[in-house]
Amino acid sequence: RGEQDFVEELQPAPLGQSVRKLESKAQTSGEATYVNDYPAHANELFLAYVLAPEAAIKVTGFDTEEAENVPGYQRLLSVSDLEGRYNNNISLPIFPKDSQTDEIFPSSDVAFAGQPIAVAAADSQWAADRAASLVAVRYEPGKSEPILHPTEAFKKKSIYFHDTQKVSKLDPDIALSEQPVQVEGEISVGEQMHFFMESITASVRQTEEGFVVNAPHQWAEIVAAVLAKVMRRPQHQFRVICPRIGGGFGGKFFMVDHAVAVCAIACDITHRPCRMFVRLDTLAQCGQKRPTVMAKYRAGASADGQLMSVHWQSIVDAGSSCNFIVILGHEIDQSLDQAFYSPTYKRDLLFLKTNKPQTTSVRCPGSAPAAVFSLLMMDHLAHELKLDPIEFKRRNLYCAGQTDFTGLKRPDDNMARMWDELSIAADIDKRRKRVEQFNKENLYRKRGIDMSGISYPVSYERFGIPQVDVTVLIDGSISIVHCGAEMGQGLTTKVAQAAVAQLAEFGAALDMVKTKPTDSMLLPQMDGTGGSATSELNAMAAKVAGSQIRERLLPIKLTKPEANWLELVSTAINSGVLLKAFGTYYPKDREGQHARYSTLGVGAAEVEVDILTGEYVVLRSDITMDIGKSLNPGVDIGQIEGAYVFGM
């Protein structure tokens, strides 16, 4: 069974209400349309990747005899088709000029096994997949052995760069040397695949206005920028439309760019609409994943159990190209404290180069591995102190007024209160005694109970401008376009709530709203979706747009105080009042702080493990979250539950 408890804080209504997601019925009934649900265009070509069989080899050619026997097979596209005509680089314009290039097809040695080295084009996706699997790759052995693990890269000094060391104001070396209890250790967290409900897909067709792209992407405008770079044409030649995303988790930022680029190139060469749907087994080989991260730590505590100094060295496997991982590496580095305060610290960050796909964000990309590191380090210290880990962690929680690793001062930190309240609500003390008794009575089945605390810094540092377009039509219905990517997180619903909240006094309601697909031509310089801030930033932009329309309706309401919503709208439009508004919200810098606030979480879990087989059962979990004022508590609880399952 499950229980939920929350408070609705109206800001005003319907913002803050627990409102069901606007698209939930369409999604749960299977009626919601995703990119690959769009009907095929006449004469459409379908593409599939041909993957490199090994890393560090040089491709010399392709044998397509068997592929040509597949009904519907048309042709093969490889790096030779790009030479002199297209830019073989899809690295994002937002990255520094000295960042590594991200090639569409390798121009020299293959970077990793599974790297796309060509695409097969056919009249159906089945034929393209089948033909691609039958293409024989001719290659020469590479000059060096591929590097497949960060420990190997570290030994061979295969390093992209060593980030600037972060040190506390008080000397961490002196502080550590003075502590009676000291520990050191090393932890490794491996890769994780996104495993979307909707795999990587894209379709491109050429029209009079230029190239029209449909893709599930977390940043529609950046696709247009990448295509302008690849195709060597002005950005106005590319219109990118994203209706919704079937699971993003950070993986629909950059992997989609590659599929879109090859579709655009194939479309331009063949003068036919082109589409690609990447099978999950293919994606598992060529796709970007959560990086392998290793952390070495040294930590010291006082005799009474106060954490006094922590030294971290984080080693990130960036893979074959070092682009977005730099941002994620910093997020890992800045999240290592999690819920626990240390007056002194030292942090090193190293990015390693290996012969694997470049790595990218997977849900909570930096904070998730950092939480594992932080919690295991705290357990290690508790063991050396001979203290119960739950008690040791409770003693070292952040308190109001302390400053965290991001430089954010926490004026009203609720961590200790949440910990104590959850401990009582979850009956931790009694259950801990029952666990001890169970373990005495059972040899091959054991139980464990623990509490943990996490902290996630919500950053308002953005690459684009959050913006929302709100249009009230003559029949009273409301159309909204926002710059975010709806991927199940309830962004669209929260934006609608924020806009309607400004117009509710006139009779506007949520059931009057229809949101339209995100469109790069409608909203210029748009922001991407990620970092758990998109909903609130777009909601702020929607509030701005809604308030503009409200100001235009107020004079009419004064002359017609008894008029309902439809009468007000009709009168306004017939009087020449524009009921369309464009709202933006770009947060001002707050003393150079990376984060604006932190969401806080305290969890307790009891599990039972079969010592012989490793099978485990989660007997009970309790979670308390402080996320500030929720825009929609029901949706946010759904996100918390989903994150819990994702993590488990």
Side-chain angles (χ1 to χ4, degrees), residues 472-549:
V472 179
L473 302 166
I474 197 163
D475 64 351
S477 61
I478 303 170
S479 171
I480 295 180
V481 182
H482 57 71
C483 72
E486 173 58 56
M487 61 183 83
Q489 82 278 42
L491 163 63
T492 292
T493 305
K494 292 177 179 179
V495 168
Q497 286 176 271
V500 170
Q502 302 303 305
L503 305 171
E505 64 186 281
F506 304 124
L510 271 177
D511 59 6
M512 300 173 181
V513 175
K514 178 65 178 176
T515 55
K516 305 296 182 181
T518 304
D519 190 323
S520 66
M521 278 298 171
L522 294 180
L523 302 175
Q525 304 158 42
M526 67 169 64
D527 189 29
T529 297
S532 298
T534 305
S535 293
E536 60 208 64
L537 294 175
N538 276 267
M540 285 296 292
K543 180 180 177 182
V544 171
S547 64
Q548 292 174 20
I549 295 176

Side-chain angles (χ1 to χ4, degrees), residues 288-311:
Q288 302 166 27
K289 303 175 180 69
R290 187 192 296 277
T292 297
V293 185
M294 298 170 62
K296 299 179 180 180
Y297 63 85
R298 296 173 61 214
S302 62
D304 62 351
Q306 289 296 318
L307 181 63
M308 299 303 294
S309 189
V310 186
H311 299 192

Side-chain angles (χ1 to χ4, degrees), residues 324-511:
F324 189 67
I325 188 60
V326 176
I327 298 172
L328 301 189
H330 290 155
E331 187 177 311
I332 294 170
D333 183 58
Q334 293 172 333
S335 302
L336 286 164
D337 52 345
Q338 287 296 312
F340 310 111
Y341 175 72
S342 175
T344 67
Y345 58 83
K346 182 193 291 185
R347 308 196 318 266
D348 283 289
L349 179 60
L350 194 65
F351 295 91
L352 300 179
K353 182 177 183 179
T354 59
N355 292 104
K356 294 194 294 186
Q358 65 170 301
T359 49
T360 191
S361 56
V362 179
R363 192 169 189 170
C364 202
S367 195
V372 175
F373 299 152
S374 178
L375 291 164
L376 288 175
M377 181 274 293
M378 294 295 285
D379 280 352
H380 192 172
L381 262 176
H383 180 76
E384 291 298 315
L385 285 160
K386 295 181 173 56
L387 275 176
D388 186 289
I390 294 177
E391 173 59 28
F392 176 62
K393 284 180 280 193
R394 170 62 183 85
R395 291 184 191 183
N396 290 283
L397 294 173
Y398 269 110
C399 298
Q402 292 175 331
T403 302
D404 65 18
F405 275 10
T406 69
L408 180 70
K409 192 169 184 177
R410 300 175 178 233
D412 50 1
D413 200 292
N414 280 323
M415 189 68 77
R417 171 190 162 190
M418 292 164 61
W419 189 283
D420 293 341
E421 288 183 357
L422 185 68
S423 180
I424 294 170
D427 205 12
I428 295 298
D429 289 339
K430 287 184 180 179
R431 289 169 58 204
R432 195 156 37 174
K433 292 175 183 177
R434 290 200 295 266
V435 164
E436 290 172 0
Q437 187 62 34
F438 180 90
N439 290 340
K440 289 177 182 177
E441 296 171 356
N442 292 273
L443 184 60
Y444 295 117
R445 300 190 75 82
K446 298 294 182 182
R447 288 183 180 176
I449 188 169
D450 198 8
M451 291 182 67
S452 59
I454 57 96
S455 177
Y456 182 81
V458 177
S459 173
Y460 277 13
E461 259 187 344
R462 313 300 288 187
F463 291 110
I465 304 171
Q467 47 196 287
V468 173
D469 183 293
V470 178
T471 305
V472 179
L473 302 166
I474 197 163
D475 64 351
S477 61
I478 303 170
S479 171
I480 295 180
V481 182
H482 57 71
C483 72
E486 173 58 56
M487 61 183 83
Q489 82 278 42
L491 163 63
T492 292
T493 305
K494 292 177 179 179
V495 168
Q497 286 176 271
V500 170
Q502 302 303 305
L503 305 171
E505 64 186 281
F506 304 124
L510 271 177
D511 59 6

